[in-house]
Each structure stands twice: as C-alpha cells, then as structure tokens.
Amino acid sequence: MKEPAITEEIIAAHNLTQDEYQRVLTILGREPTFTELGIFSVMWSEHCSYKSSKVHLQHLPTSGPRVLQGPGENAGVVDLGEGLAAVFKMESHNHPSYIEPYQGAATGVGGIIRDIFTMGARPITLLDSLRFGPLTEAKNRYLMGGVVAGISGYGNAVGVPTVGGEVVFAECYSHNPLVNVLCLGIAPVDKLFFARTGGIGNPVIYVGAKTGRDGIHGATMASETFDEKSEERRPTVQVGDPFREKLLIEACLELMQSDVLVGIQDMGAAGLTCSSCEMASRGGTGVEIDVQLVPRRERGMSPYEVMLSESQERMLLVVRQGTEGTVREIFAKYDLDAVVVGRVTGDGMMRVREGNRVVASIPAKALVDDAPVYHRPLMRPVWQDDVQRLNLEEIALPRDYGEVLLRLLASPTIASKAMVWERYDHMLFLNTVVGPGSDAVVLRLKETEKGIALATDGNGRYTFLDPFTGGMIAVAEAARNVVASGGEPVAITNCLNFGDPTRPEIAWQFAEAVRGMGAACRALHTPVTGGNVSLYNETTGKAIFPTPIIGMLGILAHISHATTQTWKAAGDVVALLGETREELGGSEYLKVCHGLLQGRPPMMDLEMEYRVQRCCLEAIQAGLVRSAHDCSDGGLAVALAEACMSNPDRPIGVDVSLADPLRPDALLFGESQSRIILSLREADLDRLKAIASHHGVVVTPIGRTGGDRFICRGRGFHVDLPLSRLDRAWREALPSYFGQREDA
Amino acid sequence: MRFGIIVFPGSNCELDCQWVLHDILGQQAELIWHKEQELKDYDCLILPGGFAHGDYLRTGAIARFSPIMKAVEDHARRGGLVMGICNGFQILCEAGLLPGMLLRNTTLSFICRQVYMRVETTETPFTGTCATGQVLRVPINHNEGRYYADDRTLARLKTNKQVVFRYVTSAGELFEKANPNGSLDHVAGVCNEQRNVLGLMPHPERAAEPLLGSASGRAIFESIINYGRALSPASR
Amino acid sequence: MEMIRAKVYVTLKSGILDPQGETVKGALETLGFAGVQDVRIGKFMVITLNGVGREDATRNIEEMCKKLLANPVIEDYRFEVEEA
Amino acid sequence: MEMIRAKVYVTLKSGILDPQGETVKGALETLGFAGVQDVRIGKFMVITLNGVGREDATRNIEEMCKKLLANPVIEDYRFEVEEA
Ligand SMILES: Nc1ncnc2c1ncn2[C@@H]1O[C@H](COP(=O)(O)OP(=O)(O)O)[C@@H](O)[C@H]1O
Ligand SMILES: [Mg+2]
C-alpha cells in the first residue's frame, strides 16, 4: 500500500503547526513518512503531551510522606499502611461523550480502569463527576440519559462498583458535557508495576481485543474545539466491551502473580503508538513493532491505522525472554489473544515495520521528551470585574424563605441523585460502608481495621467568577467532605476541564485555578498524585466554566469512624462548626432565585479551613459525632434539610434557631466555606466545645433533631415545613425530567 | 460445610460469596473455574452474580453451555444443593434447572438498591431457619430480574409451594410499589420441584454484615449450614 | 464453496410484555407520530458462514436457533438463508 | 383506512465493533458449529400503524428511524412497509 505524500494540507489536518512540523524535521533529520506524521501528531496532541498545561502543573505539590508515586505514571500511588497501596486517578471523556453519550462514557470508564490495573492494583471503585446543560432541553436529557446508562452498562458489567460522584447542571455545559471518572484500586505495596521495557531482546506482547479502525485520531479530536464538522467525524466512535475488559483485568492480575512481567502499559489514547514509545522512552531503550503481527478485526488496515487505532480493551506487555508460553497460557484461560508483536531494542528507536518494510523510525525519547511546551500568553479577561460586581442592596429579599428552600431542593444540581446512583452497582466487593448519598464514600479495607474515603468536587461557577478562589475551594471542599465522613485527607487526583488555551483569558483561568489548587493542597497537606487535563472544551467559541474537579483520597484510622450526613436520633444537639458571612456571590440561590451569575465566590481562608477540618476529625475520632455534613450548594438551610431526609428509611426533623445578624437569605442560603454541621448527644457538647476551642474554631449549638418538620427561625424569617414536602421536592425533581424516556 | 462457587467468565460476586461463607461464617468455600469438567464432593454449589459472558444475547444463555454445567446438573440430580444468585439464577433458568425466565426490568433500567422480600416457605434447605412470612432486607442489583413463567408453570409453582421469596414492603405487604422489576406475582426466588435448587435475584451475600447496612440475608446461608449439619451431624 | 449469509429474526412471543416496545411507542407518540398501534422489539442477527453448503447451513442455523439464539420459553425465531 | 405493518431493521454500521456478535460467534464455535465467519446482532422492530395511508406511513417510519429508532452515529437502518 502506498502512503500519501506529506503536503501542507496533510500536516494541517494532523493539527501540527508549522513550528511543530519544523521540530519533527529536526528530530528526524528528514521528512517524515505518513505513518510517522500520524505518530507525531498524536504524541504531540494536547491530550498526550500536555504542551499547554505543563508549565502550570509543575508548580503543584506532588510529594508527601504517603506518596509512593506522583504524577507521571498511569496513576498515582498512596501508602495506606499495612502493606497496602491505593492506586487512583481521574480521567475525562468529555468530547467522546458528546458525540455518542453511551459509548463515550462507557469507554471512559474502561480507560480509567485500565490505568489502575496496569499498575498491579485490583480496581475496587469508581466515582463519576458529571456536568450537563439544563434538563429543560431534550438534548441535555438525551446526553445525561446516555452517559449514565453508559457508566452503568460498562461499570456494572466490568465488575467495578460506582460508589459515588456528582452531577451538576449549568447552561455552559449544554454543548460540552463533562464526564470525569475516577477509579481506585488496591495493591500490595511491594507488587506495583510500571510502564518499562527492561532488557534488550525482551518480547513485546499484545493482549486483549483485536484492533479495528476505532477512534483513529481520537486523541487529536479530543484536543480540538467543536464545530459543525464534528458531526462528520462520527464513524470513528469506539465501542466498549466490558466483558472483554473484565477478562483482561483477571488475566493481567493473574499474570502479575507470576514472575514474568517486566513492564505493562494500557493502550488508551493514541493506542499502540503511545504505549510502545512511552514504555521505551521510560525504559531508556528502543522498541520494534511489526504491525503485521497485530491481531486485527478489519481487513486492509494500513500501518498508520494500526498504530493510531484506539480500539479498546488492549494492553501491551513486556515480559522476560522465554516466558511467552506462560503469558499465552494465562490468557488462553480467559480466551484472550496474547501475541508477540515486537521486541525491545538497544538503539533507542521506535521502529515500526510492516513485515520487512520499515514504515516509521523515530527516536523514542525525543518523541516523548522533545514534545513542544508552550508558555501561552495569559490575560485576565476584561469582563472579570463586571461579573464579580455584586451589590447586595440591589437584591430583593424573598418574601417566603420556605418557598425558596423548596425551589433550591428541586434545583437539579441540589436535588437527590438517587435516580442516577441506583443504576450503578455500588455494593460489589462488600466494602461500601458509606455509599452514595453522603458527603464522601467510605470503603472498608478488608483484613485491616482501616477504611478509605473518597470525594469528588469542583464548582465551575466559583472558578468562573474567580479562578484562584475556585481552585482553592475545589480542593478544600473535597477535603471537607472526606473529613466529614471520618477520613483524614491524604492526597488528590484531578481533572482540569477548560476551554481553548490559545485564548489568553482561558490560559489565565487555567493558570489561576491551578495556582489556587496548589495553595490549597499545600495548606491541607494533600499533594497531587496525578490527573488529567481536558482543554478545548468549547463549542463555536463559547467555553465552559473553567472546571477543575478534585478527587480526594482520605484514610480512616478505624472504620468505626465512618460518619454519614443524616441525623441518627431525635433529641440530638445540632451544632455548626465555622462561621457564616454575608456572602451570596456565585451561590446556587442567586442563580436559581434571581437568575444571577454574579459576585465573588465565598472567601477561602485556608488556615481556618484546616483548623475546622482538624477539629471535625478529632471530634469524630473521639466518638462524639453522630452525623456530619458540610455546607455547600444551597448553604446552611439545604444542608440541614439533607441531614433530615437523606436516609429514606428514617427521616428525622429538626428545629433550629439562628441568631447571626445577617441578611436572612445570606444566613440561610449563602455558601460560606469552612462550615460543617454536626449532630451529637447533648452530653457530648462540652467535649466538642473543648476540642473546638483548642483548634480555635467557633462552634455554635443551633438546635435539636426530632419530629417530622423542618423548622428554622431567626431574625426576619421563620420556616416551618413538613419533611414530606421537602422530601418530595428534593426526591422527585430529577425523575420528573425523565418521565418520558427519550433514549430508549 | 463444603461450598463450591462456580466462576464463569464475567462473574463478579464470587469473592463476595466466598468472603461471607468463609470469612464470616467459617465454612469451606472454593472457587471453581467454569472450564472444569468435574466437581469434588461439595455439599452446596453457588452460582454467583455478575455478567457471565457479558450478559450478551440473553443473560445466562451462553454460560449454560460451560463445561462445568454438566457436573452441576449431575450434582443437582443427585439431590445436592445448588443456589443461583442473580446472574446465577438466570443461568439456572436458561439451563432448565429452574422453571421460568428472567426478563428485562419493566423500568428498562438497571436497579441497585435495598428491597424487602418475604419468606414464602420454610420447607426448603435454604429457608429452614427462617419463619414463614419473615421479611428480609436484601439488595437487588440487576437489569433483567423480571420473573416470567407461563400460566401453567406458575400454577404448578404455587401448588408445589416452589415460590420461595416474594418482593414485599418493609411491613410484608404485596403492594405493587414493592415489586421493583415487574416480576410476575412478585416472585423474587423459586426452587425446583425437588427443592434442592434455589434461584433468587436479591443478593443475600450483600446483606450479611451490619456494617454494610443489613445482616438479614445471613438467614439463608445459615439455613443451608443448618440443613447440612442435620444431614450428617457427626461429620460436620 | 460459497459464502452463506443467514438472517435470523428473534421475537418475543406474543403475550409477553415488551416494556421496551411500549416505551418506544410512548416516545413516538410524544414526538407527535399519530396512529402508532403497537411496537414490538426483537433481534436481527446476520450470520455469515463459510465453507458450508446451503443445505448444511440451513440445518446448522436451525440448530443454532434452537440451542442458543432463541429461548423457546419466551421467544420465537425465523430465518432466511441466502448466498452472500 | 387499512392497518400498516412496518418492519424496521437496525444494524451496527460496518466497522463498528459488535462485542455481542463476537461473543456469540465464539459461543457457536465452542458449541461445535463450523465455518462461522461473522455474527452481527441488531434490532428488529415491528411497528403497527393504524389510520395512516401507505405513503404517509413510509414517510413517518423514515422519520421515526432518523429521530428515535436508530442512533445515526453508530447504526444504519432499513425498513419495509406492508399492509397488515
Ligand atoms: N453521578 C453520581 N454517581 C454516584 N453518586 C453520585 C453521583 N452524583 C451524586 N452522587 C452522590 O450524591 C451525593 C450528593 O452529591 P453532591 O450534591 O455532589 O454532594 P455534596 O453537596 O456533599 O458535594 C454524594 O454522596 C454523591 O456521592
Ligand atoms: Mg460536598
């Protein structure tokens, strides 16, 4: 087969700039072949090279006493003690999910799971962080229905429970939904695997599904903005096969028990290209692949297509010479292909052959390390001051605060997500001590007394209004959720979803948000172990909110510290940790009740945040706390209502009096940070006060649990509603949009 | 007792069953890969939940042809105990070891949540320590759990008291809203005529520890163990 | 020997509730399509055989349906065999 | 006006992975059926229309396929309309 000649159009179609093409010429010392051009273009895409984000990410803190592996490998690794390690990472699959929601989300799940078991860990849990446009639009219902079905369809069948996550709605995600999935696995600390090649002559083995023309140029697609033409790119859609992936997990984990594996890498974005050259460059060797040996699903595939295919459920292994038989035997047990497709070489080249013909020969290290790095120009948007302006005097106070509360509870961002999580197996492996529906997920670690907590968070609206503060709050809130569940926050992974970084305002948002995250990670002692950057999230020039999503990992010293957000008994004291300020900027209340996206987000004092968290954790560990819930979207009133309702089997009312001399709407619905609502036995109140004063944290008893009404009073307001009304508003909101299925 | 847990490609609840049987209840429990052709002398076989062969074509349709299934049938014919949970139930129906079929939930969606099921008969090895009418709180986790049988089969099931569990409210009532998947006559579990083969959609192994929210599924495993003990008091 | 293509149709027995069909019917009505009386959803499989004569193919496909492709408790099947 | 029956065939576009078909193919081979080259599994829908003329029916079904019955990203469709 003859390869096309390299023309300007072909270079442009590969999204390589003139400068980048010059760089290719320099590295090769000649013109690239067509296959080589394809390889450079995927390796140097934003998705694989982080060329626009690197200069900012390098300022994040990435080390700490518990971090065994920071960014750079397939996933981060944290020491849990007792010889166990947590391997975790988050990935986005935004663009594919817009094009085909079911398969886009499904293959996103499949991809992140591979990152985890590649490192030797058994994947035990998934969390999904989703953003959609308003459900009043049919297209958004279709997207959400498809994405949730895809996560459910793939995650359940592959046998990894989806135990938590979040769903948030805003107009800006209408043409650009976000699908971020976190996976965590557990491995013995001394049995971790890495993407390496080891000794020269080692065989390179391809395992898993056959290669088709799926998703060719998916990696470059994920780095482009959408336009009308995106529709035409559809035939590259990849279909996930959770059954094959389940077999692949079992086969790889079984292989890892034996002593044959040198290195292993999943084939994700940029498929065989990325996996082979990254292994070689990390191993400091070369690698040679013969595309003719690669198992194929379709006829007549060119070397270019084989190298760039993004067919799912495939892995690349390097094993010790002479152990090929062992590999074949284990994979045959699971009816999976395991084929030697190449070997490790000593010349540092990534060489691709088709039989005897060499179709690509590129220095592997240069391909990876000499990728372009951009210091994109930054500019604070001219409209930033405008959106931050908010004069509270111009905001009319509502007449009926109960009505406002009901509206907020029915707002899809706040409403119960039971309809979503009931479609996910969230119980498999018998670890789920706190499942979906509380601040963080808590899993026990069998055979130890410990547990782990996980939460995802990230408020795009705050980050839009003030990227630095938004970045800080994303980390702080995720940590607070972990603390409220009884865990000590130890490390994060993250997904950074932003617009087109070649626009200086977007680059500025990115830089600021990352700076904020870094500050919070330092203050809270939660280093970054990995993550993912998704840029170009815009359609026809309109970017999404800058949306950093944080996945926070915490450790529970004892599983008995696991704490949920719901009241446990009538007659308990309700106490508020932290202070409420007159802050309404960026709140859900302003958006839902006044149609405003305006103001500064609530202020974040990291030092105070840390003290509140330590105080809460110490109180939990001392056994004083019956329930804990952080105040976030919708403020104090919504958090109190959730604590009443979120155990459907046992709703318990509350009677609260608030004395603060603030505007009632700010007091009830403002989203001041660093606040946690606790419930405890009356007899324990003094001990809680002592702990709080030791940490310099304000604790205010505000009422009592009990009854079947929600009562909340203060200066200028008196809300008194039966729980059943709150419950209906909150629980029926999401299903009401899906009464008529459109995604059958 | 000796439990054997059959692992099909795509099964995923085998470790959970083993955990409950071995680590919680102190029984022997071994995993058996579906390509095996012979079985050691197990007292009870468990076909666990999951997605054998990806649930492709029909749930359980391909798994019933696994090499091990011949031995499972022989074991059942000899009166050995077999319990299919969720996907295991689906496989037993496809294999003809249990009457009826499991169809797509009427909600058309996968459902994972706690439900209540009522013990309809204690005259099985799987419910011997329960009380008739006892309500168990056990989670379901399936896409195809709508029990179906033709009229004649259903009539026979009723006459023979082969309906072992029904979906009910927490108070034990047969209200429509307590039937999560549209099962015929609220059927959650059935046994064969000889009463040694049971299939049920809810997952008792997910309800065996208070830490995880419910321990009421334990009654089923304890009934089996009790039955085994009664059969051969000396050896166990 | 030629290539044979078999088209297999598997449908739910009449009388068995087809919630997916019902839902599609409802959705079609919502979209404004009038006169939709009934929707039933089944499977359509295309099986390509190689190196098998037409008669053998027919016998084989019949057997595949009986054994695996359809479940007689809930489904009917029908197929056509043609040269590809 | 007569009753119209439409048969709609929805199939995966060629080149799109069909994990279900692949798995069934493997199962057929395990069961000892020789010569199975390929299995692709799609949907077969039977839609009954009432009070709609044949021409309108044809136009409607075409539109139903486009809007709802097939997912144009990964599926093709084909249909036949007949008097029932
Ligand atoms: N997509 C989802 N998948 C699983 N669980 C979810 C999802 N969305 C929300 N949840 C669960 O719903 C609960 C409430 O979510 P959220 O409103 O984001 O909590 P918070 O306000 O504490 O951040 C959490 O327990 C979360 O795990
Ligand atoms: Mg939160």
Side-chain angles (χ1 to χ4, degrees):
Chain A
M1 209 179 309
K2 200 153 147 30
E3 295 196 328
I6 309 299
T7 61
E8 301 242 322
E9 289 77 58
I10 285 193
I11 295 167
H14 281 79
N15 282 331
L16 286 172
T17 64
Q18 275 308 319
D19 281 352
E20 289 169 344
Y21 186 67
Q22 283 308 319
R23 205 179 259 264
V24 171
L25 295 180
T26 310
I27 288 174
L28 292 178
R30 59 176 165 80
E31 279 214 341
T33 64
F34 184 61
T35 303
E36 285 169 341
L37 187 73
I39 291 174
F40 274 104
S41 98
V42 293
M43 287 306 295
W44 289 3
S45 69
E46 193 65 58
H47 187 87
C48 293
S49 72
Y50 290 80
K51 59 190 171 189
S52 301
S53 55
K54 234 180 200 158
V55 295
H56 304 293
L57 298 177
Q58 70 198 18
H59 299 301
L60 291 169
T62 57
S63 59
R66 287 187 180 273
V67 177
L68 298 176
Q69 175 66 57
E73 275 291 336
N74 284 300
V77 184
V78 167
D79 192 350
L80 298 173
E82 329 234 0
L84 296 177
V87 177
F88 73 124
K89 184 168 180 224
M90 185 154 37
E91 271 269 3
S92 64
H93 231 210
N94 305 337
H95 294 77
S97 300
Y98 178 64
I99 292 181
E100 212 310 284
Y102 185 100
Q103 294 299 343
T107 52
V109 170
I112 188 63
I113 290 175
R114 285 194 294 281
D115 276 333
I116 302 308
F117 72 82
T118 299
M119 300 202 65
R122 173 171 286 280
I124 61 161
T125 194
L126 295 163
L127 280 82
D128 61 332
S129 180
L130 312 177
R131 301 289 182 275
F132 299 104
L135 291 177
T136 42
E137 276 175 50
K139 171 88 185 195
N140 294 329
R141 292 196 293 275
Y142 165 77
L143 288 171
M144 177 171 163
V147 164
V148 170
I151 293 169
S152 158
Y154 199 102
N156 297 345
V158 77
V160 182
T162 305
V163 176
E166 32 163 8
V167 195
V168 171
F169 302 88
E171 282 81 2
C172 65
Y173 303 114
S174 274
H175 297 276
N176 208 313
L178 302 185
V179 177
N180 291 185
V181 182
L182 180 156
C183 183
L184 177 140
I186 301 288
V189 253
D190 53 358
K191 266 282 192 184
L192 293 165
F193 289 86
F194 298 93
R196 297 281 185 275
T197 43
I200 294 160
N202 280 341
V204 175
I205 301 185
Y206 170 115
V207 298
K210 296 187 192 335
T211 297
R213 290 191 173 90
D214 311 296
I216 290 181
H217 268 174
T220 42
M221 179 181 80
S223 313
E224 278 171 64
T225 54
F226 274 111
D227 51 32
E228 314 312 324
K229 278 208 309 261
S230 308
E231 309 277 311
E232 288 161 33
R233 292 176 176 270
R234 281 173 159 182
T236 61
V237 165
Q238 316 150 29
V239 168
D241 182 352
F243 172 53
R244 198 96 6 181
E245 176 124 325
K246 167 72 176 167
L247 299 177
L248 204 51
I249 295 175
E250 298 304 330
C252 287
L253 292 179
E254 190 169 326
L255 182 70
M256 287 163 173
Q257 298 300 312
S258 70
D259 184 30
V260 308
L261 196 60
V262 175
I264 173 167
Q265 169 81 324
D266 64 297
M267 291 189 233
L272 195 48
T273 294
C274 190
S275 53
S276 57
C277 78
E278 283 195 358
M279 279 173 103
S281 96
R282 287 181 196 164
T285 66
V287 66
E288 185 170 283
I289 304 278
D290 183 352
V291 292
Q292 264 179 5
L293 302 174
V294 171
R296 302 177 192 194
R297 201 175 79 227
E298 294 181 70
R299 252 179 278 231
M301 290 182 69
S302 66
Y304 177 97
E305 290 173 316
V306 173
M307 289 308 291
L308 267 51
S309 161
E310 296 194 349
S311 290
Q312 300 289 301
E313 291 92 23
R314 306 178 300 161
M315 310 280 281
L316 205 61
L317 318 177
V318 174
V319 303
R320 288 193 290 112
Q321 281 187 66
T323 62
E324 297 89 332
T326 312
V327 179
R328 256 183 239 116
E329 209 172 289
I330 289 173
F331 281 77
K333 171 177 168 189
Y334 297 96
D335 300 314
L336 292 173
D337 279 329
V339 181
V340 176
V341 295
R343 59 191 182 86
V344 176
T345 62
D347 62 3
M349 301 298 281
M350 172 191 191
R351 194 171 301 107
V352 180
R353 288 190 290 122
E354 184 181 44
N356 290 324
R357 193 165 69 94
V358 173
V359 294
S361 181
I362 307 173
K365 205 153 178 53
L367 180 57
V368 175
D369 296 351
D370 295 353
V373 172
Y374 293 122
H375 294 257
R376 306 261 190 217
L378 314 177
M379 192 187 74
R380 185 169 187 271
V382 291
W383 43 260
Q384 198 72 39
D385 287 332
D386 281 343
V387 298
Q388 287 186 347
R389 199 163 296 132
L390 176 66
N391 182 357
L392 283 189
E393 272 152 32
E394 288 162 15
I395 309 284
L397 285 172
R399 217 164 294 144
D400 182 343
Y401 293 94
E403 212 46 53
V404 172
L405 176 59
L406 290 169
R407 271 176 80 184
L408 284 174
L409 291 173
S411 156
T413 293
I414 290 178
S416 167
K417 308 297 187 304
M419 184 194 127
V420 174
W421 79 61
E422 283 184 354
R423 300 188 65 168
Y424 303 150
D425 181 350
H426 52 268
M427 303 177 183
L428 184 67
F429 300 143
L430 307 183
N431 297 323
T432 311
V433 173
V434 179
S438 202
D439 281 0
V441 167
V442 178
L443 306 177
R444 69 164 162 195
L445 285 172
K446 287 204 199 87
E447 282 145 17
T448 79
E449 305 206 302
K450 292 185 175 171
I452 56 173
L454 277 168
T456 60
D457 259 303
N459 189 316
R461 203 159 53 216
Y462 294 172
T463 314
F464 169 75
L465 294 172
D466 179 354
F468 179 73
T469 306
M472 286 196 290
I473 291 181
V475 175
E477 191 181 338
R480 206 182 311 130
N481 281 313
V482 161
V483 162
S485 306
E488 159 152 31
V490 293
I492 72 161
T493 182
N494 70 91
C495 246
L496 303 175
N497 307 274
F498 286 75
D500 175 351
T502 63
R503 296 205 284 140
E505 314 85 82
I506 303 282
W508 176 81
Q509 290 177 332
F510 188 87
E512 286 292 291
V514 170
R515 207 163 60 80
M517 284 167 52
C521 286
R522 283 189 192 90
L524 304 177
H525 308 283
T526 54
V528 179
T529 62
N532 167 252
V533 175
S534 170
L535 299 175
Y536 300 95
N537 286 288
E538 38 188 274
T539 307
T540 49
K542 284 207 68 182
I544 58 163
F545 287 154
T547 314
I549 306 282
I550 305 300
M552 179 69 67
L553 172 66
I555 299 179
L556 285 81
H558 200 287
I559 193 64
S560 63
H561 299 158
T563 305
T564 65
Q565 68 184 36
T566 63
W567 311 138
K568 299 301 177 305
D572 280 350
V573 172
V574 177
L576 176 67
L577 283 190
E579 289 173 276
T580 308
R581 292 185 205 85
E582 203 158 87
E583 294 175 309
L584 282 175
S587 64
E588 184 77 8
Y589 161 72
L590 270 197
K591 179 78 188 68
V592 170
C593 297
H594 299 276
L596 285 179
L597 169 58
Q598 205 70 33
R600 286 176 180 281
M603 81 144 206
M604 171 46 65
D605 172 348
L606 289 170
E607 203 240 338
M608 178 50 73
E609 176 74 44
Y610 189 61
R611 282 195 267 141
V612 167
Q613 293 189 14
R614 298 315 296 183
C615 170
C616 178
L617 195 56
E618 191 178 327
I620 288 176
Q621 290 172 344
L624 309 181
V625 176
R626 301 250 265 179
S627 75
H629 188 20
D630 92 294
C631 294
S632 58
D633 294 330
L636 192 53
V638 165
L640 287 167
E642 287 172 345
C644 294
M645 299 181 298
S646 47
N647 178 358
D649 293 332
R650 201 161 169 229
I652 297 176
V654 74
D655 187 344
V656 157
S657 302
L658 302 174
D660 312 46
L662 305 179
R663 281 173 65 110
D665 54 356
L667 182 52
L668 289 169
F669 311 117
E671 299 174 4
S672 286
Q673 296 294 300
S674 316
R675 294 182 301 165
I676 301 175
I677 295 172
L678 306 178
S679 71
L680 61 164
R681 290 185 188 84
E682 169 129 51
D684 290 329
L685 187 56
D686 287 340
R687 286 177 67 201
L688 176 67
K689 284 181 175 163
I691 292 174
S693 94
H694 172 76
H695 287 278
V697 170
V698 177
V699 53
T700 318
I702 56 173
R704 262 179 208 286
T705 62
D708 56 4
R709 301 187 72 83
F710 177 93
I711 302 169
C712 185
R713 50 191 135 200
R715 259 213 341 229
F717 63 93
H718 185 126
V719 178
D720 182 352
L721 291 164
L723 279 192
S724 55
R725 265 192 82 191
L726 301 184
D727 191 76
R728 213 175 317 124
W730 182 66
R731 220 173 278 285
E732 290 177 5
L734 271 196
S736 74
Y737 289 98
F738 291 88
Q740 186 66 60
R741 286 176 49 105
E742 284 145 286
D743 57 336
Chain B
M1 258 180 107
R2 287 190 63 178
F3 288 84
I5 303 165
I6 315 281
V7 185
F8 298 94
S11 296
N12 60 30
C13 298
E14 67 275 14
L15 295 174
D16 295 358
C17 290
Q18 191 177 36
W19 168 263
V20 169
L21 288 166
H22 179 265
D23 295 84
I24 306 273
L25 298 169
Q27 306 299 307
Q28 282 186 47
E30 291 168 16
L31 303 182
I32 304 156
W33 184 236
H34 77 119
K35 286 183 180 172
E36 300 291 321
Q37 309 228 350
E38 274 160 39
L39 285 168
K40 291 187 241 164
D41 57 340
Y42 296 103
D43 303 302
C44 179
L45 297 177
I46 309 272
L47 276 64
F51 292 73
H53 298 273
D55 268 3
Y56 293 141
L57 195 62
R58 291 182 313 278
T59 55
I62 300 175
R64 65 164 283 219
F65 294 108
S66 278
I68 195 68
M69 284 307 286
K70 180 89 183 39
V72 172
E73 277 165 41
D74 291 345
H75 172 89
R77 200 166 310 117
R78 286 195 309 269
L81 301 188
V82 181
M83 174 160 74
I85 302 169
C86 196
N87 191 221
F89 185 12
Q90 295 161 341
I91 295 170
L92 291 174
C93 288
E94 278 281 344
L97 287 171
L98 286 173
M101 274 295 286
L102 293 143
L103 305 178
R104 181 125 183 235
N105 299 344
T106 41
T107 58
L108 295 183
S109 59
F110 190 95
I111 310 172
C112 176
R113 65 175 160 89
Q114 300 281 353
V115 300
Y116 296 93
M117 63 176 191
R118 191 173 70 192
V119 178
E120 301 292 295
T121 169
T122 56
E123 292 165 36
T124 78
F126 310 94
T127 50
T129 66
C130 302
T132 307
Q134 185 178 341
V135 176
L136 310 178
R137 183 171 188 262
V138 181
I140 54 168
N141 186 65
H142 60 243
N143 201 26
E144 276 98 2
R146 173 168 50 115
Y147 187 76
Y148 168 82
D150 61 30
D151 295 344
R152 276 194 21 236
T153 309
L154 186 67
R156 210 173 58 233
L157 290 179
K158 285 183 178 165
T159 322
N160 298 339
K161 297 216 280 193
Q162 283 173 252
V163 176
V164 183
F165 303 108
R166 279 203 170 87
Y167 298 111
V168 291
T169 63
S170 57
E173 308 134 326
L174 279 178
F175 290 159
E176 186 63 39
K177 69 170 202 300
N179 185 352
N181 50 27
S183 284
L184 186 66
D185 217 25
H186 289 235
V187 169
V190 298
C191 66
N192 63 348
E193 242 179 278
Q194 296 71 39
R195 311 188 87 72
N196 62 321
V197 180
L198 171 75
L200 75 170
M201 289 312 296
H203 285 256
E205 83 281 9
R206 293 185 178 195
E209 292 171 86
L211 181 65
L212 304 181
S214 170
S216 72
R218 247 197 228 195
I220 295 172
F221 297 108
E222 283 164 351
S223 293
I224 299 174
I225 295 165
N226 198 48
Y227 174 86
R229 210 179 280 133
L231 274 191
S232 50
S235 68
R236 311 284 165 191
Chain C
M1 223 167 266
E2 36 349 24
M3 294 259 277
I4 299 271
R5 177 169 309 130
K7 295 182 183 165
V8 181
Y9 307 82
V10 178
T11 48
L12 271 183
K13 276 190 197 304
S14 67
I16 294 199
L17 177 68
D18 176 6
Q20 197 185 0
E22 298 269 315
T23 304
V24 169
K25 174 166 175 266
L28 289 174
E29 282 160 1
T30 309
L31 286 174
F33 292 102
V36 181
Q37 187 91 349
D38 189 36
V39 178
R40 301 283 289 178
I41 301 187
K43 288 176 204 157
F44 173 56
M45 315 190 197
V46 180
I47 302 180
T48 315
L49 296 175
N50 207 350
V52 185
R54 197 183 170 116
E55 265 177 41
D56 282 352
T58 307
R59 200 161 4 156
N60 282 359
I61 297 282
E62 174 82 40
E63 218 184 311
M64 290 177 194
C65 289
K66 277 211 181 110
K67 264 197 152 162
L68 180 70
L69 303 181
N71 181 318
V73 178
I74 50 165
E75 292 167 331
D76 294 322
Y77 65 86
R78 184 166 67 71
F79 65 89
E80 298 148 11
V81 169
E82 61 191 39
E83 261 125 77
Chain D
M1 228 170 258
E2 30 359 13
M3 293 260 276
I4 299 270
R5 178 169 307 130
K7 295 182 181 162
V8 181
Y9 308 83
V10 179
T11 49
L12 278 177
K13 279 189 201 299
S14 75
I16 296 264
L17 176 69
D18 179 3
Q20 178 166 232
E22 297 261 321
T23 305
V24 168
K25 174 170 175 258
L28 289 172
E29 282 160 1
T30 310
L31 285 176
F33 292 102
V36 181
Q37 185 90 352
D38 191 34
V39 178
R40 302 282 286 179
I41 301 186
K43 285 182 208 148
F44 172 57
M45 316 191 194
V46 181
I47 301 181
T48 315
L49 296 176
N50 207 350
V52 184
R54 195 183 172 118
E55 263 177 46
D56 282 352
T58 307
R59 201 166 7 175
N60 283 359
I61 297 282
E62 173 82 39
E63 216 179 304
M64 291 176 192
C65 289
K66 281 212 180 111
K67 278 198 165 153
L68 184 75
L69 304 180
N71 175 352
V73 183
I74 51 173
E75 292 171 332
D76 291 324
Y77 63 85
R78 187 165 66 71
F79 64 89
E80 296 150 11
V81 169
E82 59 192 38
E83 262 125 75

